[in-house]
Amino acid sequence: MAALSQTRAPIFEALERFRKMRVVPFDVPGHKRGRGNPELTDFLGKQCVGIDVNSMKPLDNLCHPVSVIREAEELAAAAFHASSAFLMVGGTTSAVQSMVLSACKQGDKIILPRNVHRSVINALVLCGAEPVYVNPDVETNLGIALGMKVSQVERAIRENPDAVAILVNNPTYYGICSDLPSIVALAHRHHMLVLADEAHGTHFYFGDHLPVSAMDAGADLASVSMHKSGGSLTQSSFLLAGPGVNPGYVRQIINLTQTTSASYLLLSSLDISRRNLALRGREIFQYVVDLAQYARGEINSIGGYYAYSHELVNHDSIFAFDVTKLAIHTLDIGLAGIEVYDLLRDEYDIQIEFGDIGNVLAYLSIGDRRQDVERLISALAEIRRRYQRDKTGMLTQEYIEPKVIATPQRAFYAEKESLPLRHTAGRVCSEFVMCYPPGIPILAPGEQITVEILDYIEYAKEKGCSMTGPEDPTIQQLNVLKGE
């Protein structure tokens, strides 16, 4: 194989060659380069549906790559400072699950913060591993969960020396980072793997003065959402592996759940986006940092809002902060974050990433423009002027520490019964309840339901949070373990 050059995009180049070959298709997909579905072709365009093709020798095969996909993975590994990289077309959910399934099997213990994305707990349902939760501190003024303290991780290791892995958010949705290098060193001294959920940290690999990336910190596996801050198509991600990981085994794990019909639209978007970041990433993300810092200053000058940044860093539970995350606390204008989220969308045609009980997040990345940020700033100023009210009686706490009674797998598959929401206090939940986004469970299978949690669920519903997870879509009922 030729020497690696980040100017290459081998999957994209192979598709371009294939497009010129005028191959007659007697394979899937059945739309046959769009001819069988003209409405879809008109909507997406001939070029797009023309490369929506099946795996074949000139285009390689994601399940067992030997040519252009393998070269694209090697280029990704080099760009992201990893020993191995895997192209993922099932979203970062698939990457996270493959990461956990590679490290854990039934009965193994894994140390992790409770404020993880549901995909992590989904993986525990699948493999039967036992979570050892490090309950993060909460920033009481903002009501958000923070990172894991090294001292908390040390205590968890001391109490669970048989744990096989530690999972770390790098960063959290709100931009909070734990001391990943110290956690990695600590874990490796105790022969434990370190897994990083880096869904919101793609830019760490290409930015100056940003928190350390998982691979540079020495983590063993990291799931990276290229489609979030990296510019690729939705549902495309990377799974990165360090030198101590067997890439052949990881590939086998990925192939347990990932499709055998990988979309070449997603694969080529990963290829092209990796090339873009490798060649221009530092310049791109410096622009994003500068834009976020400008927006932060303007929003804080409005009054009533707090767009937080580096000043939160305490070198412990907030070891570092990702300044590209434009998270804004809203409670001081008497509005829940979800209320500001809804107003921005419904009244100002501005769609931000999420709103929770006390905060909103405007996700800034490579495609944002100064004029769009100005529009957001103006809208926030007008919302404060038009809708500000007294904040008395508003909930402030975003994170509620759970009590784990059973493993996620046992609770999920156990015999269960459905009860009215308010009748479930004291029982053990057998399903998920979460606001999405961000998709961090309020309740996960195996956790005890408390009055405080029920109050939070009803308050979040009342404020307009999009609640997902339970079998009952109205969340009037919850499934609980029968007899427990």
Side-chain angles (χ1 to χ4, degrees):
M1 191 173 288
L4 293 178
S5 168
Q6 293 295 340
T7 61
R8 296 284 313 284
I11 299 173
F12 165 70
E13 293 161 9
L15 285 168
E16 285 287 271
R17 290 192 297 271
F18 174 79
R19 201 159 52 86
K20 295 171 184 174
M21 291 168 64
R22 301 181 67 183
V23 172
V24 179
F26 286 106
D27 61 350
V28 296
H31 60 67
K32 306 292 180 171
R33 316 292 190 264
R35 291 193 300 272
N37 195 341
E39 210 171 27
L40 181 68
T41 304
D42 289 344
F43 179 61
L44 295 179
K46 287 183 178 179
Q47 184 159 342
C48 182
V49 295
I51 59 167
D52 181 36
V53 294
N54 196 22
S55 295
M56 60 190 74
K57 191 170 183 179
L59 299 179
D60 209 355
N61 187 305
L62 185 61
C63 294
H64 185 75
V66 296
S67 59
V68 293
I69 294 176
R70 181 172 180 176
E71 185 180 351
E73 290 185 335
E74 290 173 349
L75 284 163
F80 285 83
H81 317 155
S83 294
S84 307
F86 305 89
L87 275 60
M88 307 296 296
V89 295
T92 310
T93 289
S94 179
V96 166
Q97 290 177 348
S98 296
M99 183 169 69
V100 174
L101 294 174
S102 295
C104 302
K105 59 184 184 298
Q106 188 166 25
D108 284 343
K109 291 181 181 177
I110 178 171
I111 297 167
L112 67 163
R114 175 55 180 77
N115 58 323
V116 290
H117 188 264
R118 70 168 293 174
S119 58
V120 177
I121 302 175
N122 284 348
L124 303 185
V125 170
L126 293 173
C127 73
E130 178 184 339
V132 176
Y133 289 127
V134 172
N135 286 301
D137 289 354
V138 173
E139 211 296 331
T140 51
N141 293 322
L142 303 177
I144 63 172
L146 305 180
M148 290 194 293
K149 296 179 177 179
V150 175
S151 59
Q152 292 173 321
V153 177
E154 284 178 326
R155 183 168 63 250
I157 291 174
R158 191 165 56 247
E159 294 172 356
N160 300 274
D162 53 340
V164 299
I166 300 173
L167 186 140
V168 186
N169 294 319
N170 194 52
T172 70
Y173 230 131
Y174 302 93
I176 306 296
C177 293
S178 301
D179 183 358
L180 189 54
S182 295
I183 291 172
V184 167
L186 180 63
H188 287 174
R189 282 201 301 274
H190 289 84
H191 310 292
M192 297 177 186
L193 296 174
V194 175
L195 322 179
D197 182 349
E198 219 160 29
H200 301 280
T202 307
H203 47 291
F204 289 0
Y205 292 89
F206 304 99
D208 296 317
H209 313 299
L210 288 172
V212 66
S213 69
M215 288 294 105
D216 288 334
D220 298 287
L221 290 162
S223 50
V224 176
S225 273
M226 274 294 280
H227 69 93
K228 289 187 170 70
S229 59
S232 65
L233 291 178
T234 296
Q235 205 176 303
S236 58
S237 294
F238 287 129
L239 177 57
L240 307 177
V245 173
N246 178 353
Y249 180 68
V250 174
R251 178 88 65 194
Q252 287 184 316
I253 294 292
I254 291 170
N255 286 342
L256 290 176
T257 57
Q258 183 157 260
T259 178
T260 56
S261 304
S263 165
Y264 278 89
L265 297 174
L266 298 180
L267 293 175
S268 59
S269 83
L270 282 170
D271 201 22
I272 293 167
S273 300
R274 180 272 313 152
R275 179 173 66 179
N276 184 44
L277 295 188
L279 299 179
R280 293 175 282 276
R282 276 186 154 63
E283 174 189 339
I284 288 168
F285 289 119
Q286 186 57 57
Y287 167 79
V288 175
V289 167
D290 293 343
L291 191 61
Q293 294 289 55
Y294 167 75
R296 196 170 273 115
E298 293 296 305
I299 291 166
N300 285 335
S301 70
I302 294 170
Y305 297 109
Y306 176 32
Y308 35 97
S309 187
H310 281 308
E311 69 278 0
L312 295 182
V313 171
N314 59 20
H315 304 291
D316 194 8
S317 56
I318 311 173
F319 185 76
F321 184 81
D322 174 12
V323 294
T324 72
K325 298 293 183 293
L326 186 58
I328 307 157
H329 190 62
T330 65
L331 288 185
D332 287 340
I333 65 166
L335 294 175
I338 187 60
E339 292 175 305
V340 174
Y341 171 97
D342 285 340
L343 285 167
L344 284 168
R345 185 194 59 241
D346 297 341
E347 301 287 332
Y348 298 93
D349 295 329
I350 294 173
Q351 181 63 58
I352 59 172
E353 177 67 11
F354 78 82
D356 59 31
I357 295 302
N359 303 269
V360 293
L361 176 69
Y363 207 102
L364 299 187
S365 194
I366 66 177
D368 286 293
R369 305 176 299 175
R370 176 76 171 249
Q371 59 262 43
D372 297 327
V373 168
E374 296 285 5
R375 186 171 160 187
L376 172 64
I377 294 163
S378 298
L380 289 171
E382 193 168 310
I383 286 171
R384 177 180 179 268
R385 180 177 58 79
R386 292 175 61 194
Y387 296 101
Q388 184 173 16
R389 59 176 183 251
D390 183 68
K391 67 175 184 177
T392 303
M394 300 190 75
L395 282 185
T396 60
Q397 185 90 339
E398 180 63 27
Y399 175 76
I400 302 171
E401 185 173 320
K403 183 177 180 182
V404 179
I405 306 297
T407 66
Q409 187 182 68
R410 184 173 86 79
F412 187 83
Y413 290 113
E415 193 175 356
K416 60 197 73 172
E417 58 184 326
S418 178
L419 295 178
L421 191 65
R422 278 290 168 183
H423 293 183
T424 62
R427 301 294 293 272
V428 180
C429 193
S430 68
E431 55 188 353
F432 291 93
V433 182
M434 71 205 81
C435 296
Y436 187 84
I440 297 166
I442 301 164
L443 275 170
E447 294 177 357
Q448 188 173 56
I449 302 167
T450 64
V451 172
E452 183 186 19
I453 288 171
L454 295 175
D455 289 343
Y456 180 93
I457 291 170
E458 290 191 338
Y459 182 84
K461 286 172 62 181
E462 175 194 322
K463 290 298 183 183
C465 288
S466 176
M467 307 292 287
T468 66
E471 188 176 317
D472 173 16
T474 66
I475 317 188
Q476 301 297 320
Q477 304 271 129
L478 275 183
N479 287 339
V480 297
L481 267 62
K482 201 164 190 174
E484 293 188 42

